[in-house]
Amino acid sequence: MADPTADILVVDDDARLRALLQRFLAEQGHRVAVAGDAGEARAAIGAMAFDLLVLDVMMPGETGLELAEGLRRDGHDTPILMLTARGDPDDRVAGFEHGADDYLAKPFDPRELALRIRTILRRAAPAASAAPMPSGPIQLGPRWFDAERCELRSPEGTQRLTGGEAALLTALARRAGEVLSREDIAVALGTPDAGERSVDVQVTRLRRKIEADPREPRFLHTIRHKGYVLRPGP
């Protein structure tokens, strides 16, 4: 399968880095727009649909974290890759908590950026997997998840899932009833170095979408010292 190409928006207040990323990603076959701050980014997002947002965390005014959180709150499910000069685990967890799908610390090798982007894009449009897709939509109480379409349907209509949330639910649905370790989940999400806390944050985000009470989950269970298991049902 050929590597996917995409419409990408790079948001960074460093003009030199913006130009470098725009040129590099264009050489990878992507169509790239740039913005210098959150305001310019919102204008660009309002003007066209992007397949991926690359956001710098530390920007003057509205930060990348605040922008990501606001976009998720407004219903935008476009995958987000965060860039930051601070790469400790707490910063990475904060990125996931604010709606990021992946996180890359500066300075980085452009080849790693390209790899992360390919992973995110493939996750957004999953290819065939060693684990079979469920034969049909799976029931999660009043909701139904269609893994082939990456759609979560409810009586109110189709619910938005971010790329990371859809990938997580798909990985769990493919192995429903089986306990997946945090390491297994991180690999399935294409973020093997994400760390256990980052996986926990993404599970928490998903529970808010599929559970009536995320504090007392009916479907996505924590198995102490082992990981997580999805148990579909009415």
Side-chain angles (χ1 to χ4, degrees), residues 213-231:
D213 183 356
R215 295 169 298 180
E216 297 290 339
R218 290 182 54 204
F219 310 111
L220 180 44
H221 299 271
T222 302
I223 307 301
R224 191 176 182 185
H225 302 313
K226 293 186 178 180
Y228 295 99
V229 59
L230 184 70
R231 295 180 178 138

Side-chain angles (χ1 to χ4, degrees), residues 2-26:
D3 289 338
T5 59
D7 291 297
I8 298 175
L9 176 64
V10 174
V11 187
D12 198 302
D13 63 319
D14 184 332
R16 179 176 174 274
L17 182 58
R18 284 200 310 272
L20 288 172
L21 291 180
Q22 185 175 34
R23 184 170 67 250
F24 173 75
L25 294 175

Side-chain angles (χ1 to χ4, degrees), residues 67-91:
L67 175 59
E69 184 175 49
L71 291 172
R72 295 300 187 226
R73 189 170 53 247
D74 293 342
H76 291 278
D77 55 2
T78 307
I80 295 174
L81 171 61
M82 287 283 192
L83 302 178
T84 181
R86 302 183 308 182
D88 65 59
D90 287 342
D91 292 319

Side-chain angles (χ1 to χ4, degrees), residues 8 11 18 26 29-30 48 59 67 87-88 94 106 111 113-114 135 139 141 149 159 163 176 191 198 224 229 231:
I8 298 175
V11 187
R18 284 200 310 272
H30 301 298
M48 71 172 289
M59 294 188 294
L67 175 59
D88 65 59
K106 299 177 182 177
R111 293 172 298 179
L113 174 65
S135 57
Q139 186 174 6
R149 297 184 178 182
Q159 242 178 312
T191 55
S198 297
R224 191 176 182 185
V229 59
R231 295 180 178 138

Side-chain angles (χ1 to χ4, degrees), residues 82 97 104 114 158 184 217 226:
M82 287 283 192
E97 286 177 334
L104 185 59
T158 301
D184 289 338
K226 293 186 178 180

Side-chain angles (χ1 to χ4, degrees), residues 38-56:
E40 291 182 7
R42 288 184 183 280
I45 293 166
M48 71 172 289
F50 291 97
D51 300 302
L52 175 68
L53 308 179
V54 179
L55 305 183
D56 181 39

Side-chain angles (χ1 to χ4, degrees), residues 128-146:
S129 169
M133 284 285 193
S135 57
I138 61 170
Q139 186 174 6
L140 302 166
R143 300 174 179 84
W144 292 83
F145 177 62
D146 187 331

